[in-house]
Amino acid sequence: MKCLKCNRKAVIRSRIGYLCKDHFKEYYLNEIKKTIKKYNMFDENSRILVAVSGGKDSSALAYALNELGFKFEGLYINLEIKGYSEKCMKNVEELFDLLDKKLNIINVSDYGVKIRRVGPRNVCSVCGIVKRYLMNKFAYENKFDVLVTAHNLTDILSFFFNNLYSNTIEYFVKLDPVSERKDKLVKKVKPLFFITEKENLVFCIINKINFCSYRCPYSKGTTQLEWKKIILSIENVKKDIQYRLVRTLLNLKRNIKLKEEGYHFCKVCGYPTKSKDKICSFCKIKNYFKSFKDIKPVEE
Ligand code: AMP
Ligand code: ZN
Ligand code: ZN
């Protein structure tokens, strides 16, 4: 296939059509730049913290932000998952060396938690709670203006499909490129909101960005992966389906009145929580490990 702009060999069928290597790179960086500007995410003067996992999405994002001339630091949370976390960490370290940017690394065990099943909470749910909490805590305590994550269009759409399917419409609220700073919750932004997973992969390949291609051992067979497969099969037929659906959903959300959920401050750590007993999920997980300190945890 030929690039729609210059007739050279195409490397990807993007949402605007087939593009060659150079025109894809130009399109990719421009889309991110437009999203950052449109949603007022940050500017050259902001103290920016980018949460990087070592995977293709966050590696592509860090590389792209550097190309766009932003100054930032990275945060890698070492989840201490055997045979996986060390490999990802190595990739992040190499990338930040190449970009000549400061990388902060924190270990979950230093915060008294492990990535394991905790009572009724499965391992992915524990991991999500721990990551969100530690990212915010680190960004807040180190006075960053904004926390940047690499959630992409395919993540957003699969999350949304899952909520439509499960009749959990209240999660609509989470579907936003920006969540503003409030009390001890730092501003969070998603510059890849309109970029698909495939586009991130191709951006890594054409720029020779090394990323960790190992999947987390716990991610096998998750519902998110099932939704992603479905999305990709529709995308084969309609190239811009992901973008169009998410754009429509954002519009729809604007017209739906959602009741604002109140929150309290955790009695233990002081960070915001929606929990009625005023103890946040992170502190509950931490407490679980404290009380089972001398008992060998059950492996998944
Ligand atoms: P996930 O919860 O795995 O979908 O990841 C959501 C976002 O969190 C990613 O796009 C990254 O920006 C960030 N992230 C995921 N894992 C890590 C990690 N181990 N350390 C730092 N940031 C991470
Ligand atoms: Zn071209
Ligand atoms: Zn707490």
Side-chain angles (χ1 to χ4, degrees):
M1 283 296 166
K2 298 268 167 72
C3 172
L4 65 92
K5 298 203 173 179
C6 72
N7 244 2
R8 272 186 294 168
K9 190 171 157 256
V11 291
I12 190 170
R13 186 187 185 213
S14 74
R15 91 175 142 78
I16 58 166
Y18 288 99
L19 291 172
C20 71
K21 201 168 131 184
D22 291 344
H23 281 117
F24 171 64
K25 188 169 174 180
E26 182 185 277
Y27 154 84
Y28 182 93
L29 292 175
N30 208 23
E31 283 297 303
I32 295 180
K33 198 169 155 186
K34 269 189 339 207
T35 305
I36 293 170
K37 205 159 183 214
K38 178 170 178 196
Y39 291 94
N40 217 348
M41 292 185 166
F42 47 80
D43 59 34
E44 304 69 42
N45 301 316
S46 312
R47 277 206 76 214
I48 303 167
L49 182 68
V50 184
V52 276
S53 67
K56 60 181 177 332
D57 303 304
S58 51
S59 302
L61 175 62
Y63 191 94
L65 291 179
N66 187 53
E67 290 273 294
L68 291 170
F70 288 106
K71 290 195 210 85
F72 59 88
E73 288 182 25
L75 172 66
Y76 177 73
I77 302 170
N78 180 7
L79 301 164
E80 296 165 320
I81 298 174
K82 273 207 188 80
Y84 172 69
S85 297
E86 318 89 75
K87 292 187 182 113
C88 297
M89 184 150 80
K90 196 166 162 277
N91 275 96
V92 179
E93 284 175 324
E94 282 170 8
L95 177 64
F96 274 68
D97 270 352
L98 177 83
L99 302 178
D100 199 19
K101 296 266 187 271
K102 181 175 174 190
L103 174 66
N104 304 279
I105 298 180
I106 58 176
N107 306 309
V108 287
S109 57
D110 294 338
Y111 294 84
V113 293
K114 293 180 180 131
I115 305 302
R116 302 270 160 81
R117 169 180 280 282
V118 171
R121 284 194 176 95
N122 70 31
V123 66
C124 293
S125 143
V126 170
C127 183
I129 292 167
V130 167
K131 276 190 298 199
R132 280 192 297 277
Y133 182 89
L134 291 181
M135 276 179 211
N136 180 68
K137 182 179 167 72
F138 187 89
Y140 180 78
E141 288 179 354
N142 292 284
K143 301 191 169 49
F144 283 94
D145 296 318
V146 61
L147 172 67
V148 183
T149 59
H151 290 98
N152 62 55
L153 190 56
T154 319
D155 293 327
I156 309 289
L157 195 57
S158 61
F159 174 76
F160 190 75
F161 274 167
N162 197 33
N163 287 309
L164 270 188
Y165 180 79
S166 318
N167 193 16
T168 43
I169 205 160
E170 62 277 13
Y171 291 113
F172 249 60
V173 259
K174 300 208 171 169
L175 194 91
D176 256 329
V178 173
S179 79
E180 291 298 339
R181 183 185 190 101
K182 205 169 182 194
D183 297 318
K184 286 172 106 175
L185 294 177
V186 295
K187 179 175 179 179
K188 294 185 194 73
V189 302
K190 306 179 178 79
L192 303 182
F193 203 86
F194 298 107
I195 299 277
T196 67
E197 207 166 275
K198 185 172 81 184
E199 289 172 334
N200 290 329
L201 175 66
V202 174
F203 187 75
C204 284
I205 295 170
I206 64 173
N207 289 294
K208 301 191 172 63
I209 305 166
N210 272 332
F211 62 88
C212 185
S213 50
Y214 293 94
R215 269 199 194 290
C216 169
Y218 297 121
S219 74
K220 235 165 67 198
T222 54
T223 45
Q224 205 196 22
L225 284 185
E226 286 172 0
W227 286 115
K228 284 186 177 177
K229 268 194 215 153
I230 296 171
I231 293 168
L232 291 184
S233 67
I234 327 176
E235 198 185 39
N236 282 334
V237 186
K238 284 228 171 276
K239 65 178 184 318
D240 52 0
I241 186 99
Q242 298 196 50
Y243 176 78
R244 281 175 169 264
L245 284 183
V246 167
R247 201 186 49 178
T248 307
L249 292 169
L250 281 177
N251 259 335
L252 206 66
K253 194 174 97 87
R254 248 175 253 137
N255 295 303
I256 292 179
K257 208 147 180 57
L258 284 157
K259 61 171 193 282
E260 277 263 337
E261 272 188 317
Y263 60 85
H264 324 275
F265 294 97
C266 173
K267 285 191 282 195
V268 184
C269 70
Y271 278 89
T273 175
K274 288 186 180 144
S275 195
K276 288 200 180 70
D277 60 7
K278 299 188 183 171
I279 299 179
C280 77
S281 303
F282 182 86
C283 286
K284 283 182 187 138
I285 293 171
K286 193 169 163 178
N287 195 41
Y288 172 92
F289 287 113
K290 217 193 282 170
S291 42
F292 285 89
K293 203 159 62 189
D294 302 323
I295 303 170
K296 201 169 177 290
V298 183
E299 294 289 342
E300 286 294 312

